[in-house]
């Protein structure tokens, strides 16, 4: 009998995230030989399911899976039924974990709504399923719904399990390219260019051609600003704004940079919503005609905004974020415009590459590209980082809270920002494209 040393306890194992992302990613990790032989996944849910194998059968796997790999993964899954807010139902989970012995590391992954985070952790502690010193907590976005709720949730969780073991998932930090920005900035010649005297502006772009993918209940409460800018793009931007010469932790430096951000008074925030259009020659419906969306919804599916930093080292530099759904193409990149008029682009999608790399480090840039192209992507990278405790892939609660704080002026006055319609398959609302012309010019190159 295998003695398990790494155990993933997956809450939300019957949900769409587990079905569409987590189980297919576990399959890929098994296929690549990354899942240890002593790995076990305890799948937690409220449904009556006989085995973890049944969950794997329901998942969004490709049709041509290798039966040997599939069976190997299935043998590493167990199912445990409980009610996540009922302490009395946690006894079976506690028993499973106790039977695994005293050396096992426990990775609790909560792929559930933020409203359940405290109840689950409270029950884990109350049932003695949480073992201090060898338990780790991983939480999906969103973390709270504004600055105050985020800080309150962080404090409540810290009171239960401490701060060091709480990790917030951000899959953009696992994207080869944009998520590897610190590695790129560390190249000698790049480090010399990365300052306010050389850089005019830094732009983070994340466009998608897809819509909301049957996530109306979630997206209607979030919108593009909360779903993408707060959760992802501000964190990517922070990788471009922090000092790389200090000895303090990356998390501490990111907190300093995020705290320094202020909305630019020169450029307005633009929000929009897609109307009927065409993408890749296929007609697509407007947001308000999506299943589960009301025809009077004002939820934004597009957002563009500009920040400045009050840090002296970034005086005179502007930072832009640009994101939307049902746009012409999927594109994820950091676009740096220099005062000389030259530019540099670090791209994750549609291709992993660096454009405009100075000739002094051309060879190093090409080597980085090759390394990034071999890296894992998406939830494969997240799950590997979880099991092997790769801290760069996760946020602290303080970083997430500062993301909310940076957006507070907008979030407190959303009614002041008119939601502009844009045709699906375009690059966004016409007025936004005029305002954010540097980004629009870049997008039109694709």
């Amino acid at each position: 009998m295998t003695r398990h040393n790494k155990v993933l306890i997956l809450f939300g194992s019957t949900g769409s995230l587990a079905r569409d992302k987590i189980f297919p990613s576990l399959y890929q990790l098994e296929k690549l030989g990354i899942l240890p032989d002593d790995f076990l996944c305890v799948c937690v849910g409220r449904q009556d399911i006989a085995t973890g194998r049944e969950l794997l059968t329901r998942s969004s796997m490709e049709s041509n899976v290798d039966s040997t790999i599939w069976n190997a993964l299935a043998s590493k899954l167990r199912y445990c039924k409980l009610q996540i807010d009922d302490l009395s139902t946690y006894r079976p989970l506690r028993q499973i974990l106790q039977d695994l012995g005293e050396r096992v590391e426990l990775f609790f992954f909560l792929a559930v709504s933020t409203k359940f985070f405290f109840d689950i952790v409270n029950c884990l502690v109350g049932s003695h399923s949480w073992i201090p010193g060898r338990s780790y907590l991983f939480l999906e976005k969103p973390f709270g719904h504004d600055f105050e709720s985020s800080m309150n949730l962080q404090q409540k969780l810290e009171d239960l399990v401490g701060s060091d073991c709480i990790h917030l998932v951000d899959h953009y930090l696992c994207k080869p390219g944009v998520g590897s920005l610190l590695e790129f900035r560390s190249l000698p010649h790049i480090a010399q260019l990365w300052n306010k005297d050389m850089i005019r502006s830094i732009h983070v772009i994340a466009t998608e051609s897809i819509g909301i993918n049957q996530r109306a209940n979630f997206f209607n409460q979030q919108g593009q600003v909360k779903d993408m800018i707060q959760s992802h793009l501000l964190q990517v931007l922070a990788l471009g704004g922090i000092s790389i010469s200090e000895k303090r932790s990356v998390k501490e430096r990111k907190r300093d940079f995020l705290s320094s951000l202020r909305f630019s008074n020169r450029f307005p925030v633009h929000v929009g919503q897609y109307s009927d259009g065409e993408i890749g020659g296929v007609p697509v419906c407007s947001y308000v005609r999506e299943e589960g969306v009301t025809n009077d919804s004002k939820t934004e599916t597009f957002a563009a905004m500009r920040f400045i930093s009050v840090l002296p080292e970034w005086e005179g530099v502007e930072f832009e974020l640009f994101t939307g759904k049902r746009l012409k193409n999927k594109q994820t990149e950091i676009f740096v415009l220099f005062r000389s008029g030259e530019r540099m682009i670090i791209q994750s999608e549609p291709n992993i590459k660096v454009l405009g790399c100075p000739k002094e480090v051309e060879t190093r840039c090409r080597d980085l590209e090759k390394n990034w192209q071999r890296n894992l992507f998406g939830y494969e990278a997240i799950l590997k980082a979880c099991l092997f405790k790769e801290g760069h892939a996760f946020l602290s609660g303080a970083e997430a809270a500062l993301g909310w704080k940076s957006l507070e002026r907008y979030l407190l006055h959303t009614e002041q920002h008119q939601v502009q319609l844009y045709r699906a398959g375009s690059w966004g609302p016409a007025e936004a494209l005029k305002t954010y012309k540097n980004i629009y010019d870049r997008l039109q190159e694709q």
Side-chain angles (χ1 to χ4, degrees):
M1 180 174 141
T2 301
R3 179 171 291 279
H4 301 287
N5 287 321
K6 290 185 181 292
V7 178
L8 179 71
I9 302 96
L10 177 60
F11 282 78
S13 64
T14 59
S16 59
L17 179 60
R19 180 188 67 234
D20 298 338
K21 301 288 186 182
I22 295 177
F23 287 124
S25 294
L26 285 174
Y27 172 86
Q28 290 301 322
L29 293 179
E30 180 68 28
K31 182 178 180 179
L32 292 168
I34 293 173
L35 282 189
D37 291 337
D38 60 4
F39 169 78
L40 175 69
C41 180
V42 179
C43 307
V44 176
R46 291 178 285 191
Q47 299 180 20
D48 289 314
I49 293 175
T51 64
R53 183 179 292 265
E54 184 178 337
L55 286 173
L56 205 55
T57 303
R58 296 181 182 185
S59 68
S60 303
M61 296 277 194
E62 297 176 1
S63 56
N64 58 340
V65 297
D66 184 301
S67 60
T68 301
I69 297 168
W70 194 96
N71 285 323
L73 176 58
S75 70
K76 297 177 179 179
L77 305 182
R78 293 176 67 175
Y79 185 74
C80 179
K81 179 184 176 182
L82 56 73
Q83 296 294 323
I84 56 179
D85 58 352
D86 185 350
L87 177 61
S88 66
T89 66
Y90 276 67
R91 292 171 188 160
L93 177 62
R94 179 188 64 192
Q95 192 61 54
I96 289 172
L97 301 183
Q98 285 182 343
D99 290 346
L100 293 173
E102 297 181 355
R103 296 178 58 187
V104 64
E105 291 185 300
L106 306 175
F107 303 92
F108 293 91
F109 197 106
L110 275 52
V112 298
S113 169
T114 186
K115 66 184 179 182
F116 297 121
F117 288 172
F118 175 74
D119 287 340
I120 291 174
V121 178
N122 194 40
C123 287
L124 289 173
V125 173
S127 65
H128 304 289
S129 301
W130 179 273
I131 312 298
R134 48 190 178 92
S135 295
Y136 307 87
L137 182 64
F138 298 87
L139 305 172
E140 276 288 343
K141 67 165 190 173
F143 192 73
H145 55 82
D146 57 19
F147 176 70
E148 184 177 353
S149 65
S150 181
M151 290 297 291
N152 287 342
L153 178 57
Q154 175 73 6
Q155 188 60 58
K156 289 166 71 175
L157 294 178
E158 285 186 7
D159 289 344
L160 288 170
V161 300
S163 61
D164 291 345
C165 56
I166 300 173
H167 308 278
L168 311 187
V169 171
D170 183 349
H171 68 268
Y172 269 66
L173 297 182
C174 288
K175 283 184 184 289
V178 299
S180 310
L181 186 58
L182 289 183
E183 182 183 16
F184 176 74
R185 287 181 57 195
S186 297
L187 296 178
H189 192 73
I190 302 299
Q192 294 168 18
L193 293 174
W194 210 275
N195 59 68
K196 69 177 182 180
D197 296 322
M198 305 298 290
I199 292 176
R200 178 184 299 170
S201 55
I202 298 177
H203 315 259
V204 182
I205 301 170
T207 64
E208 301 174 286
S209 58
I210 62 170
I212 57 172
N213 280 358
Q214 300 178 325
R215 295 191 307 153
N217 287 339
F218 170 79
F219 193 81
N220 254 334
Q221 299 174 43
Q222 294 293 109
Q224 196 73 359
V225 173
K226 294 181 180 180
D227 186 41
M228 286 296 295
I229 290 182
Q230 188 280 330
S231 294
H232 302 306
L233 301 196
L234 282 168
Q235 304 302 331
V236 171
L237 179 63
L239 296 179
I242 66 173
S243 166
I244 61 170
S245 59
E246 294 183 46
K247 294 183 179 179
R248 293 183 305 148
S249 72
V250 170
K251 292 184 185 299
E252 288 179 298
R253 287 176 276 156
K254 284 175 70 177
R255 289 199 291 266
D256 285 351
F257 177 75
L258 290 169
S259 298
S260 79
L261 292 178
R262 306 289 186 270
F263 278 108
S264 168
N265 291 323
R266 293 180 54 235
F267 276 49
V269 172
H270 282 273
V271 290
Q273 185 187 95
Y274 60 84
S275 60
D276 293 342
E278 187 176 283
I279 295 179
V282 178
V284 295
C285 71
S286 65
Y287 177 74
V288 295
R289 291 176 56 210
E290 297 276 15
E291 183 179 352
V293 179
T294 60
N295 58 15
D296 61 349
S297 172
K298 300 300 181 186
T299 300
E300 83 284 353
T301 59
F302 169 96
M305 52 186 64
R306 177 179 282 205
F307 294 90
I308 60 170
S309 169
V310 298
L311 292 175
E313 58 263 38
W314 287 116
E315 182 181 2
V317 178
E318 294 176 315
F319 304 91
E320 292 183 354
L321 307 178
F322 186 101
T323 180
K325 299 192 185 319
R326 284 293 188 215
L327 299 182
K328 187 174 182 179
N329 290 316
K330 183 174 181 64
Q331 195 160 323
T332 307
E333 66 184 37
I334 296 163
F335 163 36
V336 182
L337 185 61
F338 292 96
R339 298 191 185 279
S340 64
E342 295 178 297
R343 62 185 191 169
M344 193 157 47
I345 296 157
I346 302 93
Q347 188 178 87
S348 293
E349 293 159 312
N351 300 297
I352 299 171
K353 60 185 179 182
V354 178
L355 302 173
C357 194
K359 63 181 180 181
E360 292 87 347
V361 287
E362 179 72 28
T363 301
R364 296 286 299 277
C365 285
R366 300 289 82 84
D367 289 343
L368 269 184
E369 279 182 359
K370 292 175 184 176
N371 288 337
W372 292 346
Q373 289 162 3
R374 289 192 290 265
N375 285 354
L376 295 176
F377 214 87
Y379 274 85
E380 295 163 26
I382 288 170
L383 291 168
K384 175 179 175 289
C386 165
L387 294 173
F388 295 95
K389 293 180 278 190
E390 299 169 3
H392 71 275
F394 306 103
L395 307 177
S396 66
E399 290 170 90
L402 286 169
W404 288 116
K405 189 69 174 177
S406 301
L407 295 169
E408 202 164 43
R409 198 178 91 184
Y410 166 80
L411 295 173
L412 291 174
H413 304 285
T414 55
E415 72 285 349
Q416 296 179 7
H417 301 276
Q418 181 182 1
V419 178
Q420 308 161 49
L421 292 179
Y422 62 95
R423 182 174 173 79
S426 70
W427 282 120
E431 287 302 311
L433 299 180
K434 291 178 186 176
T435 303
Y436 294 86
K437 185 177 183 303
N438 286 327
I439 291 178
Y440 183 40
D441 289 347
R442 164 63 189 150
L443 292 171
Q444 287 184 298
E445 297 172 12
Q446 302 303 297

